[in-house]
Amino acid sequence: MTTYPIPVTDRRDRAHTGAPTRRRALPRLFLGERTDARWLRPAFWLLLVVTAVVYLWDLSVSGYANTFYAAAVQAGTKSWEAFFFGSLDSSNFITVDKPPASLWVMVLSARLFGFSSSSLLLPQALMAVASVALVWGTVRRTLARLGATTANVGALLAGFIVAATPAAALMFRFDNPDALLVLLMTAGAYCTVRALPKGSWRWIALAGVALGFAFLTKMLQGLLVLPAFGLVYLFAARTTWGRRAIGLGIAAVSLVVAAGWWVLAVALWPAESRPYIGGSTDNTVLDLVFGYNGLGRIFGGSGNGGGGGGTGGGTAGSSFGGSTGLDRLFSSEMGLEISWLLPAALVALVLGLVVVGRRHLADPARAGLVLWGGWLLVTGLVFSYMSGTIHPYYTVALAPAIAGLVGTGGALLWHARERMTGRLGLAAMIGATAFWSWCLLNENASWLPWLRWVVLVGGLLSAAAIVVGSVPTLRKLVTIGVLAGTLFGLTGTTAYALATTTVAHSGSIPSVGPAGSGSGGTGGFPGGGGQPGGTTGPGGSAGGSGDGGFPGGGPQGTQGTQQDGTEQDGTEQGQGSGGQPPTGTAPEGATGEVPAVPDGATSADGSGTSLPTGGTGGATTSSALTKLLAASDAKWSAAVNGSQSAAQLELDTDTAVMAIGGWSSDPAPTLAEFQAWVAAGDVGYYVSSGSGGGMRGGSSTASAIQEWVAANYESTTVGGQTVYDLGASE
């Protein structure tokens, strides 16, 4: 007969006082249990309200943020087919290079409230609130045996840390897929923990569904948490081994169904009557799974740039993540986005497992540590050593794991504060956080220069107070040290997260922190600074090496371009420098904050074109070109090389634009297909971008189309752009 540990609590059990101990469901939701301290549940609701206010405040400051996804959302509001496939344009020429789950949520919001910056980003901010609530619920359940107060305080701490993580403050106010990805993985963790008390196959099946939709959000990255979830259910579910195996089997089927139904639908849909699958080489989703958006991300190749060091990988902390190794997560921009509490989380994991000692495998606190620890270690190691394209904001996927470990491990060490292990563990968490926060704040020393010293001195003094509290007559210092140390430890990450929410972000690799903070440092440990404002270095361009679903990401223009469309270090780049600069931004690839240029503003050459600034490609379309394309009644008002240019044209003209070559020099359309569409009057204009390639360099198909257009149609200049009227006689 299997036995389980006797509950350990920090307060007297009131179950036998004669008074009812549980409220009905609705009052319990808002007020908590009758035995809870009155402030516990209101504190939870206050946390959610504060998170909502901070994340929703001035939400439209970033405009459409990443115009690549914004254009796809706009297309989805006009066409249900575009909604289903995740098409970049409403006429369904090509899809974005990821599955469409995150687009579905934003499209539904835009259809409900009208397409705007606010309706585009509203779901992302609300996902932050939901993620905080789920982390709170997960941690509270795993700590229930420690007593209501300790469990709730640990859960509140974990929820607060999620909201106060700079990477979360960045991506939950941005239209990249990462917000939905984090929410779904956190929902999977919650469902897994709910499945443990009775070995519920229903809850573990729901966890599989959540991860299935995480796959439809960002493909394989959504499955990096799968080993931790499966391990926890297998060893900690309170049922027989046979039922555990059955539960995992049902969860696996649920995951496959939730992830596979869309993949199967696309595979069965006749290719000639659906858009081309962007990012693939053969117009199939499976090519994305195993290539460009999948294994290519981990091992490099398959259209991925390098993150693994050398000139192609960029310096440590650059937009490609820098050299592989255990220090990658601590370097420069990655460190600023996620690592504030990473040392504390690692201490909490190790010493938390020491504290739970030889408890039964089904102990909820141990299960919580394994769940969050497995999530952190697997995902963190993959991010640290993957050789394909990686960008710093991917690390937002680690925020719930770090928060869960700090909340769970911190609560366990607090409960064991009468033991030397507990006190030293708390002191180590606080001291390590204080020192590392000082290092990170020192990266941007001109911003609130006093803050780093307050955090360092206050944190180290708090840690010392906990150690001194080992003397029996000074035990009160332990409580004082923990409270003060928690305050000082959270100050750095909270301040940087708040600063992140006050800055407008656009492009494809937005950076955290106040205005003027750098995103492309010189590397090192903790890393070097970068160009102000998160822009690229001198000579950078809008393009870059491509990007996609696992873990997501895109081009980078830190090295500038040569006439052949490649970066100076040999990495594939976007539009060559020999022609007109592309408009718009790119999926998860070009950097930083781009100052808005008024419509029709005059450029340096007097053409009236809004040229890209800062090497990010964040241009708008001239008023003359906007009017010309908006007046077109063709299926596609224009065709242009690359998704980056097409996306901005779509947003500015509110028309469908054909993105020749897609995002990653996709072999679409063929010259024959393009000629047939032109003959049928389906394409109004061809806008030359001065290069024959898509966003990731040259494309023979795109070059052939451009040469054919130039040979058969007269060109005119509209707002500084070379335009061919394809409706005119050849």
Side-chain angles (χ1 to χ4, degrees):
M1 178 177 178
T2 303
T3 59
Y4 298 99
I6 298 174
V8 179
T9 64
D10 59 357
R11 60 188 297 148
R12 185 167 58 90
D13 189 358
R14 301 181 183 178
H16 303 292
T17 60
T21 59
R22 293 181 65 84
R23 303 178 191 270
R24 293 187 176 182
L26 189 59
R28 188 167 68 251
L29 175 64
F30 290 98
L31 301 176
E33 301 290 354
R34 295 181 184 275
T35 55
D36 290 351
R38 292 184 177 180
W39 60 271
L40 289 176
R41 191 55 61 94
F44 163 68
W45 289 109
L46 178 62
L47 173 62
L48 296 189
V49 170
V50 171
T51 302
V53 170
V54 171
Y55 277 70
L56 290 169
W57 188 267
D58 200 17
L59 185 61
S60 61
V61 67
S62 296
Y64 291 131
N66 190 335
T67 56
F68 180 74
Y69 295 116
V73 171
Q74 182 189 56
T77 63
K78 298 180 177 183
S79 164
W80 285 111
E81 184 178 348
F83 167 83
F84 179 78
F85 288 107
S87 299
L88 180 66
D89 61 285
S90 57
S91 294
N92 295 291
F93 166 64
I94 198 167
T95 71
V96 298
D97 56 354
K98 291 181 183 63
S102 65
L103 298 177
W104 292 340
V105 180
M106 291 185 282
V107 168
L108 292 176
S109 173
R111 281 182 174 266
L112 181 62
F113 300 109
F115 179 70
S116 67
S117 172
S118 296
S119 65
L120 176 73
L121 300 177
L122 174 64
Q124 313 293 86
L126 295 180
M127 289 174 194
V129 180
S131 297
V132 168
L134 287 169
V135 168
W136 173 86
T138 305
V139 172
R140 187 176 67 95
R141 286 181 173 275
T142 58
L143 293 175
R145 291 181 178 276
L146 303 185
T149 300
T150 301
N152 277 273
V153 170
L156 288 169
L157 176 62
F160 181 87
I161 290 172
V162 173
T165 300
L170 178 68
M171 298 315 297
F172 282 108
R173 289 167 55 89
F174 209 72
D175 54 346
N176 279 23
D178 300 78
L180 181 60
L181 176 72
V182 171
L183 174 62
L184 289 169
M185 292 191 299
T186 307
Y190 176 79
C191 292
T192 299
V193 168
R194 287 296 303 266
L196 299 182
K198 297 181 180 179
S200 170
W201 65 266
R202 293 179 178 85
W203 278 108
I204 198 63
L206 286 176
V209 171
L211 294 188
F213 277 92
F215 176 87
L216 291 183
T217 302
K218 228 172 173 189
M219 290 193 167
L220 294 188
Q221 187 184 350
L223 304 183
L224 292 179
V225 298
L226 184 60
F229 293 1
L231 187 68
V232 167
Y233 184 82
L234 180 63
F235 288 101
R238 295 189 176 185
T239 186
T240 64
W241 286 101
R243 291 183 179 273
R244 295 177 197 178
I246 292 174
L248 287 177
I250 294 174
V253 172
S254 300
L255 189 156
V256 171
V257 172
W261 68 271
W262 182 82
V263 177
L264 180 62
V266 174
L268 296 178
W269 203 293
E272 62 274 10
S273 62
R274 61 162 171 79
Y276 185 92
I277 304 302
S280 70
T281 60
D282 59 2
N283 199 15
T284 67
V285 176
L286 290 180
D287 182 66
L288 295 181
V289 176
F290 296 107
Y292 179 60
N293 284 350
L295 299 180
R297 295 284 163 179
I298 299 177
F299 302 110
S302 298
N304 284 276
T311 55
T315 58
S318 74
S319 60
F320 282 109
S323 300
T324 59
L326 290 176
D327 64 336
R328 180 187 262 185
L329 295 179
F330 295 91
S331 299
S332 195
E333 178 66 13
M334 276 196 175
L336 290 171
E337 294 204 11
I338 199 62
S339 74
W340 297 83
L341 294 169
L342 182 53
L346 295 173
V347 172
L349 173 60
V350 174
L351 294 185
L353 291 173
V354 172
V355 167
V356 297
R358 296 175 178 248
R359 294 186 193 178
H360 193 278
L361 289 175
D363 179 76
R366 182 197 296 276
L369 290 173
V370 174
L371 183 144
W372 300 120
W375 179 334
L376 175 64
L377 294 177
V378 173
T379 304
L381 287 173
V382 169
F383 285 176
S384 295
Y385 286 99
M386 59 186 288
S387 299
T389 303
I390 182 172
H391 296 305
Y393 63 81
Y394 297 177
T395 58
V396 69
L398 298 173
I402 292 174
L405 282 175
V406 173
T408 303
L412 285 168
L413 293 173
W414 168 257
H415 190 265
R417 63 190 179 277
E418 298 299 325
R419 296 158 51 185
M420 182 62 71
T421 302
R423 293 191 297 274
L424 291 181
L426 291 169
M429 290 178 64
I430 292 171
T433 300
F435 171 73
W436 187 243
S437 295
W438 180 87
C439 292
L440 293 173
L441 290 170
N442 203 45
E443 289 294 288
N444 194 8
S446 62
W447 177 72
L448 300 181
W450 52 268
L451 182 61
R452 66 187 188 277
W453 295 110
V454 170
V455 171
L456 178 64
V457 175
L460 293 181
L461 288 177
S462 299
I466 297 172
V467 175
V468 173
S470 299
V471 178
T473 57
L474 300 175
R475 285 297 169 86
K476 289 185 178 180
L477 286 178
V478 175
T479 301
I480 296 173
V482 169
L483 292 176
T486 301
L487 177 63
F488 287 116
L490 295 176
T491 298
T493 183
T494 303
Y496 227 74
L498 288 174
T500 299
T501 65
T502 64
V503 178
H505 302 283
S506 63
S508 305
I509 313 178
S511 58
V512 297
S517 62
S519 65
T522 58
F525 185 92
Q531 295 295 329
T535 62
T536 59
S541 79
S545 63
D547 203 37
F550 170 65
Q556 161 69 357
T558 58
Q559 304 298 325
T561 59
Q562 303 180 54
Q563 293 294 332
D564 62 357
T566 61
E567 286 189 353
Q568 293 172 2
D569 63 4
T571 305
E572 287 185 8
Q573 181 71 6
Q575 307 298 347
S577 60
Q580 295 293 335
T583 59
T585 54
E588 305 184 26
T591 62
E593 293 75 15
V594 183
V597 183
D599 186 32
T602 303
S603 67
D605 63 1
S607 64
T609 304
S610 301
L611 297 176
T613 58
T616 62
T620 55
T621 309
S622 69
S623 58
L625 184 57
T626 298
K627 292 178 182 178
L628 180 69
L629 300 190
S632 174
D633 58 359
K635 185 176 182 179
W636 291 282
S637 66
V640 64
N641 292 340
S643 293
Q644 180 183 19
S645 302
Q648 189 67 51
L649 286 174
E650 287 183 29
L651 291 172
D652 290 338
T653 64
D654 196 29
T655 63
V657 176
M658 179 182 292
I660 296 174
W663 171 246
S664 54
S665 296
D666 301 325
T670 65
L671 177 59
E673 289 173 331
F674 185 78
Q675 290 172 332
W677 282 323
V678 171
D682 290 336
V683 187
Y685 299 90
Y686 179 88
V687 181
S688 175
S689 56
S691 171
M695 280 306 305
R696 294 199 62 256
S699 164
S700 59
T701 298
S703 298
I705 290 174
Q706 181 160 302
E707 292 171 2
W708 175 78
V709 170
N712 291 278
Y713 294 90
E714 294 292 331
S715 67
T716 58
T717 300
V718 180
Q721 296 287 122
T722 301
V723 179
Y724 298 84
D725 184 356
L726 301 182
S729 300
E730 296 186 36

